[in-house]
Amino acid sequence: MNILSRSANVIAAAVNRILVRTKLLPESPVAQFDLDPSVPTFYVTRLNSKADLAALAAVCKQLGLPDPREQQTLSEKQIDRFIPLANPTPLFGDKAKPSDALEIGKQIFDAFSLSPEQRAQVVPVTILWGRNPGKEKPGIGTLFSHSMTPSWLRKFFVLLFSGRDNLVRFSQPIELNQLMTDKADVDELPHKLLRVARVHFKRQKLAATGPKLPSREALFSGLLASPSIKKAIADEAKAKGLSHQEAKLKAKELLEEIAANYSDAMIRVGDRILTWLWNKLYNGIEVKYAERVHELTNKGHEIIYVPCHRSHMDYLLLTYVIYHQGLVPPHIAAGVNLNFFPAGGIFRRSGAFFIRRSFAGNKLYSAIFKEYLSQLFMKGYSVKFYTEGGRSRTGRLLPPKTGMLAMTMQAMLRGIERPISIVPVYIGYEHVMEINTYLKELAGNDKKNESIFAVFKAIKNLKNYGRGYLNFGEPIALQQYLNEHQPDWRTHIGDDSTKPQWLNTQVANVAQDIMTNINSAAALNTVNLLATILLSRDQFALSKPKLLKQLDFYLALQQQAKYNDQVTLPSDDAQSLLEHALKLNKFDVLTDEMGEIISIKEKERTLFNYYRNNIIHLFAVPSILAQLIYQKTEVAIESANKTVNALYPLFAKEWFLTTLSEDYIANILNSFEQQKLITTDNGIIKITADKQAQAQLEMLGNVMHLTLERYAITTTQIINSDAIKRQQLEADCEVLAKRLGTLHGIKSPEFFDKKVLTNLISGLREQNYISICEQNTIHAQEAIANLQSQLTELLPASIWQSIHEHSS
């Protein structure tokens, strides 16, 4: 390295320290990619830039990796570690000189051919300055954006204005000895290495910034010129007696209502505001399985995020997390109820596009929205929508609404080249901001419209809400899914005239898989665990030692017998979790001569059902087994399996569960035995004589009591009525549920919720416990008697007495 180059590097390093703030991704690349600093290391980057080199050198020093500014010894040859694919564009002219990347690549492979047994790692590093995607039509703003090969002058402005938004992303290193083994033609290897790197960097930039943005006018002009919208405009004019110009103007107004107006500047401002907000609201946000999304972007996938919907905070939290993973924030399908001043404009510039609750009777709106969504996919924008349609008021997942998913699959049939993957996302909180409002709505109050006053009120009431949790679930590759489940789907590509007959079925199936994958990636936290424990107690209270023991039991159970390997558990022990929970002002601590008692605050007791419902599906099978063992004290494993298998399909319908495996039941019983709650001998399960162990099983068994009581109410009403209308059954069950709630002190709002009962009736029908005739009357089938027999074994006599006394 000559003196001039060294001086330039020193100056660049000094400028880097003053002007540059780097975000490193992933946070621990050495551990994640198993990088070995002692192995000869080379860095492939997109651009030959002193600023890029200085930023990379600073990060490598921080990570303890070899300095990219130095040369690497390989087979006694000195080779540059820094391999930029392109030189900057000259100040005057538009064609850059060829880089030395190919020559450096040849030197590396030549050295390798002399000593094939040695190791070396080539690490692709994406270096970006800001996330501005640029405009399809260049303007003065492009002077400050990071084009592919900016001149030194443009790079100066980039550094000046975007130096605080520097992103350095390490990717999986390329093992050169493996590459040498895979391909014998050494002369071709440097070319292959550079080709792979160019594709990689192109995908990384698209994933981080998104495609270039069209002007709003150009976007609207293109949409209005599409055949589907032109036809819809003509149909609108004919149907409503409008002139063509009037119908077209109406179409443009609808586009104004729908379309996002994404702004990188708004995203950057929002990032700073949200960083302050999260620090104000939460003790931390735990993110898991983000590598799944990065793997998809590395493969060039179009990504559709489909999260569960607990709170308005979901909009902000998921977008914030995606942005801090170095990915472009998605365009978000938001309810038109959020399009109020000034929030609507802010959301729109943050990537939100607005959707009405119903398209019914508005063919022009439907055509415009579908065309707009198709254009988002075709241009390569990631998208986010909530398949539940609205926020859950009970904490459980809502049945999916399939409209957006159907339009997504129809857009795919238009011939989108990029593979499309749906990423389900589980979001959980230790406190949901709107939970008091949800309780009022469940009690019958009308839902209030969102307004700026509600926003100000929420800001005024900001407080510490504990932790937030976000887990990226198992992705669903749509093309692959259809290849497996609808092999002829490609024959419909490009045919917009008819909707394939199979579409509704496959959309419904994919929707179910999305919800199942969301619940498979659930996050256990201190609040939902303590809610699960304390709500199973009559007085919602437990002594501190017993509470800690039960919490230890649940943590061990979920570790030893996971419902799904993707479920995440807290890393803290029971004592630390309880200490954290007590700081959230949701519990009372009472002290007497015998020690401390922990109870849920009276105003929080009904609300805690919400948090328990976030994870109740993880305790469904363990609770049934615990209740069965506690009630009978001795039960055959075969009989326990039979009981679980009878009830599980109803649980699966209610909570979107995966197929039940015998290993899961066995693992639960093994966990019980490891914790000395039961013994097993010759296929017989026996409860231990230890009273504390019996109490632990009793509390776990109580977790499913309300669910089983709802099942018992419904089956009893069906059996006692030879033929009953569905609406009448729902009404009778609701009345009886409220009666039991009064008699037995049940405070769970969804215990009386008609929607939950409706879902149960559907499950009973699917499992052939009932039939529904054309007159919409429900008839009991023989199998329902067996189901009720199983329920009889699981519920106490006092509950059955109340049900039989008050049932029709």
Side-chain angles (χ1 to χ4, degrees):
M1 185 180 297
N2 59 41
I3 295 175
L4 187 61
S5 183
R6 285 183 183 277
S7 299
N9 284 340
V10 170
I11 294 171
V15 172
N16 185 81
R17 285 192 294 272
I18 297 169
L19 294 180
V20 176
R21 183 177 62 188
T22 296
K23 180 174 181 60
L24 172 65
L25 289 172
E27 292 181 357
S28 304
V30 174
Q32 183 164 327
F33 299 131
D34 198 23
L35 300 178
D36 188 345
S38 65
V39 170
T41 303
F42 301 90
Y43 306 94
V44 181
T45 67
R46 191 169 55 88
L47 183 65
N48 186 10
S49 160
K50 293 298 182 184
D52 288 20
L53 180 57
L56 176 58
V59 168
C60 288
K61 182 178 180 181
Q62 173 189 332
L63 297 173
L65 292 172
D67 191 332
R69 297 168 296 189
E70 303 295 333
Q71 291 188 317
Q72 176 68 57
T73 302
L74 198 63
S75 297
E76 301 182 356
K77 292 186 176 183
Q78 295 296 309
I79 306 174
D80 290 340
R81 284 199 180 109
F82 187 57
I83 313 174
L85 296 184
N87 281 322
T89 303
L91 185 58
F92 301 103
D94 56 4
K95 191 171 183 181
K97 293 180 181 179
S99 77
D100 296 330
L102 185 60
E103 181 58 34
I104 297 172
K106 287 179 179 178
Q107 293 175 21
I108 293 172
F109 285 108
D110 286 345
F112 240 87
S113 63
L114 296 174
S115 304
E117 73 284 351
Q118 65 187 320
R119 287 186 62 208
Q121 53 195 9
V122 176
V123 185
V125 184
T126 304
I127 303 173
L128 295 173
W129 302 87
R131 310 281 193 88
N132 191 339
K135 300 283 188 180
E136 287 183 354
K137 185 177 180 180
I140 192 170
T142 59
L143 178 64
F144 314 120
S145 66
H146 193 197
S147 61
M148 291 301 288
T149 56
S151 67
W152 67 265
L153 180 60
R154 179 175 287 185
K155 193 58 177 269
F156 169 76
F157 284 108
V158 167
L159 194 65
L160 190 62
F161 289 97
S162 301
R164 310 298 285 176
D165 292 308
N166 175 235
L167 176 70
V168 176
R169 178 189 289 285
F170 282 69
S171 297
Q172 183 70 44
I174 302 167
E175 288 282 357
L176 293 185
N177 53 353
Q178 181 65 43
L179 199 61
M180 294 282 288
T181 304
D182 292 343
K183 191 170 181 68
D185 187 357
V186 177
D187 292 338
E188 178 62 24
L189 289 177
H191 295 277
K192 179 181 180 181
L193 179 64
L194 300 191
R195 283 197 305 270
V196 170
R198 287 191 185 98
V199 172
H200 174 77
F201 290 134
K202 185 177 180 181
R203 287 176 175 174
Q204 288 292 302
K205 186 174 187 299
L206 183 64
T209 68
K212 290 185 178 181
L213 299 171
S215 69
R216 201 162 174 81
E217 287 185 7
L219 173 65
F220 287 5
S221 296
L223 288 167
L224 292 172
S226 68
S228 62
I229 292 184
K230 286 173 75 174
K231 182 179 184 302
I233 289 172
D235 291 345
E236 181 79 1
K238 184 178 179 181
K240 296 189 177 178
L242 304 174
S243 69
H244 178 80
Q245 193 59 33
E246 288 173 329
K248 188 174 181 180
L249 184 62
K250 187 175 180 181
K252 191 171 181 179
E253 289 173 353
L254 291 175
L255 277 172
E256 289 282 2
E257 176 190 318
I258 294 168
N261 190 21
Y262 183 86
S263 165
D264 175 66
M266 179 61 73
I267 294 295
R268 282 187 279 115
V269 170
D271 174 47
R272 284 155 177 74
I273 293 172
L274 289 179
T275 298
W276 168 83
L277 182 65
W278 300 141
N279 290 333
K280 182 86 173 172
L281 286 178
Y282 300 111
N283 290 332
I285 299 168
E286 297 188 13
V287 180
K288 298 292 174 66
Y289 309 125
E291 64 276 5
R292 288 173 165 161
V293 184
H294 294 303
E295 185 178 344
L296 293 173
T297 60
N298 289 341
K299 294 177 180 178
H301 283 230
E302 174 80 29
I303 297 178
I304 300 170
Y305 301 94
V306 185
C308 60
H309 203 4
R310 315 275 194 215
S311 165
H312 280 320
M313 278 295 173
D314 301 344
Y315 297 109
L316 306 176
L317 180 60
L318 180 52
T319 297
Y320 180 83
V321 166
I322 290 169
Y323 185 75
H324 277 260
Q325 288 296 320
L327 302 170
V328 62
H331 279 52
I332 308 164
V336 75
N337 59 307
L338 294 178
N339 190 18
F340 60 89
F341 179 83
I346 295 171
F347 290 153
R348 197 183 295 277
R349 293 181 70 80
S350 301
F353 59 98
F354 294 98
I355 180 172
R356 295 180 182 177
R357 291 280 180 193
S358 173
F359 293 9
N362 198 333
K363 293 182 180 180
L364 180 61
Y365 181 87
S366 177
I368 288 172
F369 188 89
K370 289 178 181 178
E371 186 66 30
Y372 176 74
L373 188 64
S374 293
Q375 286 298 312
L376 290 181
F377 295 139
M378 288 179 178
K379 288 179 176 292
Y381 296 104
S382 58
V383 171
K384 176 177 75 175
F385 61 79
Y386 298 89
T387 194
E388 291 173 280
R391 292 165 293 158
S392 171
R393 267 63 177 172
T394 63
R396 63 178 70 219
L397 292 184
L398 302 175
K401 297 183 184 300
T402 56
M404 280 292 294
L405 185 58
M407 285 186 281
T408 298
M409 293 181 73
Q410 284 177 301
M412 190 176 71
L413 293 176
R414 298 182 67 173
I416 297 173
E417 294 182 3
R418 296 177 72 202
I420 297 177
S421 283
I422 293 174
V423 178
V425 185
Y426 176 93
I427 301 176
Y429 304 92
E430 289 179 341
H431 179 84
V432 172
M433 209 167 54
E434 305 97 321
I435 193 164
N436 285 293
T437 303
Y438 294 166
L439 184 61
K440 292 175 183 175
E441 290 176 14
L442 285 170
N445 290 7
D446 292 334
K447 179 181 179 295
K448 292 184 179 179
N449 292 329
E450 278 74 19
S451 69
I452 186 59
F453 303 106
V455 174
F456 286 141
K457 184 178 178 181
I459 292 173
K460 180 183 175 183
N461 294 332
L462 288 183
K463 59 181 180 179
N464 191 316
Y465 288 151
R467 296 189 182 115
Y469 300 83
L470 193 149
N471 294 345
F472 291 98
E474 184 69 33
I476 300 169
L478 277 184
Q479 282 92 335
Q480 181 180 333
Y481 179 91
L482 289 178
N483 286 341
E484 294 173 2
H485 297 89
Q486 194 68 45
D488 66 339
W489 72 274
R490 292 183 185 276
T491 62
H492 296 273
I493 290 178
D495 182 10
D496 292 337
S497 58
T498 58
K499 184 173 76 171
Q501 291 184 349
W502 49 262
L503 185 66
N504 288 346
T505 300
Q506 296 303 346
V507 166
N509 292 340
V510 172
Q512 286 292 123
D513 286 353
I514 291 170
M515 308 309 281
T516 300
N517 289 6
I518 289 173
N519 263 348
S520 293
L524 291 155
N525 64 55
T526 183
V527 172
N528 56 38
L529 281 166
L530 291 177
T532 304
I533 295 169
L534 293 174
L535 288 177
S536 65
R537 304 285 296 172
D538 290 339
Q539 300 303 316
F540 312 105
L542 202 59
S543 69
K544 184 176 179 179
K546 288 184 178 179
L547 179 59
L548 288 171
K549 191 169 182 64
Q550 194 73 1
L551 188 52
D552 272 328
F553 168 33
Y554 284 7
L555 290 170
L557 172 65
Q558 293 296 333
Q559 186 65 51
Q560 296 162 357
K562 276 189 173 183
Y563 157 72
N564 191 286
D565 288 338
Q566 299 171 76
V567 172
T568 57
L569 279 71
S571 56
D572 296 331
D573 60 18
Q575 180 68 44
S576 300
L577 289 175
L578 182 57
E579 289 174 2
H580 167 70
L582 294 179
K583 296 175 183 176
L584 300 178
N585 197 33
K586 296 177 181 293
F587 302 90
D588 287 323
V589 181
L590 311 175
T591 305
D592 59 18
E593 298 81 6
M594 301 180 67
E596 292 180 331
I597 296 173
I598 311 297
S599 68
I600 304 172
K601 285 181 178 290
E602 186 173 355
K603 67 177 183 179
E604 297 280 350
R605 290 174 184 175
T606 304
L607 305 179
F608 260 50
N609 286 277
Y610 188 97
Y611 303 111
R612 179 187 60 185
N613 285 344
N614 290 175
I615 61 163
I616 194 170
H617 63 286
L618 305 180
F619 289 90
V621 176
S623 177
I624 292 300
L625 291 170
Q627 179 69 0
L628 191 65
I629 295 165
Y630 176 76
Q631 287 280 91
K632 302 185 76 171
T633 69
E634 183 176 311
V635 62
I637 292 177
E638 183 179 352
S639 176
N641 284 333
K642 184 178 178 183
T643 298
V644 171
N645 277 283
L647 292 168
Y648 192 84
L650 299 179
F651 298 162
K653 177 71 176 178
E654 189 164 345
W655 295 309
F656 305 100
L657 303 182
T658 57
T659 304
L660 179 65
S661 72
E662 290 187 9
D663 287 346
Y664 180 42
I665 298 174
N667 290 339
I668 294 168
L669 295 176
N670 288 338
S671 179
F672 288 175
E673 193 160 19
Q674 286 179 45
Q675 297 183 72
K676 303 187 185 318
L677 306 179
I678 64 169
T679 60
T680 57
D681 184 33
N682 291 326
I684 302 297
I685 309 164
K686 294 182 181 179
I687 194 169
T688 62
D690 182 1
K691 296 298 182 184
Q692 176 62 37
Q694 292 177 15
Q696 286 184 274
L697 282 178
E698 181 186 16
M699 277 189 280
L700 177 57
N702 287 345
V703 169
M704 288 298 292
H705 264 198
L706 295 186
T707 299
L708 297 179
E709 286 174 32
R710 281 193 286 105
Y711 291 1
I713 290 169
T714 307
T715 56
T716 301
Q717 291 291 94
I718 291 170
I719 290 171
N720 289 348
S721 305
D722 182 39
I724 185 171
K725 292 277 188 181
R726 184 178 183 131
Q727 294 81 358
Q728 186 62 48
L729 175 62
E730 291 173 1
D732 290 349
C733 287
E734 185 179 13
V735 170
L736 183 52
K738 287 181 178 178
R739 180 72 173 178
L740 261 66
T742 302
L743 291 172
H744 298 276
I746 298 170
K747 300 291 185 182
S748 177
E750 79 274 7
F751 187 62
F752 320 116
D753 189 4
K754 244 183 219 184
K755 293 178 182 177
V756 177
L757 290 172
T758 300
N759 204 34
L760 172 59
I761 292 168
S762 297
L764 291 170
R765 184 182 187 182
E766 288 177 11
Q767 296 304 312
N768 296 317
Y769 290 121
I770 61 173
S771 62
I772 302 179
C773 69
E774 291 181 1
Q775 288 74 33
N776 205 30
T777 55
I778 296 173
H779 302 266
Q781 301 298 299
E782 289 184 10
I784 202 170
N786 179 58
L787 175 62
Q788 192 164 51
S789 174
Q790 303 284 357
L791 294 170
T792 302
E793 292 185 338
L794 293 167
L795 288 172
S798 59
I799 295 294
W800 280 111
Q801 182 181 12
S802 297
I803 291 173
H804 289 307
E805 279 181 1
H806 300 95
S807 63
S808 56

